[in-house]
Amino acid sequence: MPTPSMEDYIEQIYILIDQKGYARVSDIAEALSVHPSSVTKMVQKLDKDEYLIYEKYRGLILTKKGNKIGKRLVFRHELLEQFLTVIGVKNENIYNDVEGIEHHLSWNSIDRIGDLVQLFENEPELVEKLRRLQEKEDQ
Ligand SMILES: [Mn+2]
């Protein structure tokens, strides 16, 4: 099981490869606001744990295991954003709140939140009901 910090790296590497086709140490450092030397250290650990293959001058690629986990981590992040959005959390809070909770929920909780998001999607009148309730509270 990757640690929260490892998860952040795998998630970001997955996103970079998905968007640009590659993930450089400098890009990862920028995306995570950390020093490149921290990235190199972590990338070596992720290589040792077989999440990716790192070759100093050729960049890095995710292994099958790394890719599978990266995909799940991105899915989890997006689902939690959808969840906070549908329950009416202000846009400005969503990203940071997701970053704060995503590593601390079991996959069981993620799946149940997924059910709830699905329910809200299938029954938009529930979202309207919730909004009306929130408008009352705001008054
Ligand atoms: Mn995230």
Side-chain angles (χ1 to χ4, degrees), residues 7-8 11-12 15 73-74 76-78 95 98-99 102-103:
E7 287 189 343
D8 275 333
E11 184 184 352
Q12 205 48 245
I15 290 171
L73 297 176
V74 171
R76 182 179 69 184
H77 184 108
E78 286 170 357
Y95 186 82
V98 171
E99 286 301 307
E102 62 184 346
H103 307 295

Side-chain angles (χ1 to χ4, degrees), residues 61-82:
I61 53 164
L62 289 170
T63 60
K64 201 173 165 190
K65 169 170 123 172
N67 198 60
K68 192 174 157 199
I69 290 176
K71 198 175 192 169
R72 287 182 84 191
L73 297 176
V74 171
F75 163 81
R76 182 179 69 184
H77 184 108
E78 286 170 357
L79 174 69
L80 290 172
E81 283 200 357
Q82 282 180 303

Side-chain angles (χ1 to χ4, degrees), residues 110-124:
I110 297 294
D111 288 343
R112 298 295 71 81
I113 288 171
D115 293 344
L116 195 59
V117 168
Q118 189 74 56
L119 179 72
F120 277 127
E121 241 168 51
N122 295 344
E123 301 188 40

